[in-house]
Amino acid sequence: MSTTQSERLRALLEPLVVTTGLDLEEIKVTAAGKRRQLLVVVDSDEGVQLDAVASLSREISQALDAAEAMGDAEYVLEVTSPGTDRPLTEPRHFRRNAGRLVKLQLKERGELIARIMNVDDSGLDLEVPGVKGRKPKPARADFGEIERARVEVEFNRKGADLPEDDADDVADIDTYDENEEHDETDEHEHDENDEEA
């Protein structure tokens, strides 16, 4: 996508996205055979709800058609939230990932894997995980020294490390014992007309 097309699309779509309380993170046009795909990535501090994405997608489609911004060729519009693999480049990206483990490439110190504990105007307060039973250590990274950053996906984070609500959910999981008696009834509500059918 040319810079001019990117700038025109951003100028058209950003005000629309901002009115919904979201941030426009990325616009990307790619060719797929005779068609093109327009990817619009949005986010907010509270996350992005599916209903908001569906509504915004309709509004963006109408705006693109009215402005003829994509020309006459067919295109597929995809409005989505960022994945965990997207680079963290803005202070708001780090703020939205507070509590998560990140991999940072720092100008002077090299690679650092740490948990974001706090984000302020100048950088990050971090916690470097302890290795082999050692206690975690505090660290600091200013935005100016961060060259690259991404969220590290954690598959084995213990329930004690989860936010309180999530830890409760883990504790509430019952185990199924095949030797116990179980009620095999259907738990959805029945309508009187269900039995007549």
Side-chain angles (χ1 to χ4, degrees):
M1 173 170 61
S2 71
T3 304
T4 307
Q5 184 183 23
S6 175
E7 290 169 353
R8 281 196 322 260
L9 288 171
R10 182 168 285 279
L12 175 66
L13 300 180
E14 193 156 32
L16 186 63
V17 171
V18 169
T19 62
T20 65
L22 301 172
D23 295 316
L24 180 59
E25 295 292 346
E26 181 181 0
I27 295 175
K28 184 177 181 181
V29 177
T30 55
K34 293 182 181 181
R35 285 200 248 175
R36 295 170 294 162
Q37 178 186 23
L38 172 58
L39 177 69
V40 179
V41 181
V42 297
D43 201 3
S44 80
D45 287 350
E46 294 78 36
V48 180
Q49 300 299 315
L50 185 58
D51 291 342
V53 169
S55 175
L56 180 59
S57 181
R58 287 188 294 274
E59 292 177 41
I60 288 174
S61 180
Q62 291 170 357
L64 290 168
D65 292 346
E68 298 180 358
M70 294 298 289
D72 293 332
E74 290 184 27
Y75 69 93
V76 174
L77 172 62
E78 181 182 348
V79 178
T80 187
S81 60
T84 57
D85 62 341
R86 68 116 181 233
L88 307 177
T89 58
E90 301 288 332
R92 67 177 180 263
H93 298 163
F94 293 97
R95 187 176 59 248
R96 291 173 184 160
N97 284 287
R100 297 189 80 179
L101 198 64
V102 293
K103 183 182 208 176
L104 305 168
Q105 184 63 43
L106 304 173
K107 290 177 183 172
E108 299 291 323
R109 295 186 277 169
E111 184 178 285
L112 176 65
I113 296 176
R115 189 167 312 283
I116 299 173
M117 303 308 291
N118 188 41
V119 181
D120 58 34
D121 292 339
S122 61
L124 314 172
D125 291 328
L126 303 164
E127 181 180 83
V128 180
V131 180
K132 296 181 181 179
R134 294 183 183 153
K135 290 185 178 184
K137 294 181 181 178
R140 175 82 183 163
D142 291 330
F143 291 125
E145 69 176 314
I146 300 172
E147 292 180 332
R148 287 186 309 276
R150 289 191 187 272
V151 169
E152 286 286 288
V153 177
E154 297 178 84
F155 293 107
N156 61 350
R157 191 166 179 198
K158 295 184 175 103
D161 294 332
L162 295 173
E164 192 172 311
D165 291 341
D166 292 340
D168 290 344
D169 292 343
V170 171
D172 290 340
I173 296 174
D174 292 328
T175 56
Y176 183 86
D177 184 347
E178 62 186 37
N179 295 322
E180 286 183 24
E181 283 188 37
H182 295 280
D183 184 7
E184 299 297 330
T185 59
D186 189 359
E187 294 188 14
H188 75 276
E189 292 183 27
H190 292 280
D191 188 31
E192 289 178 18
N193 297 329
D194 287 346
E195 296 191 20
E196 292 175 13

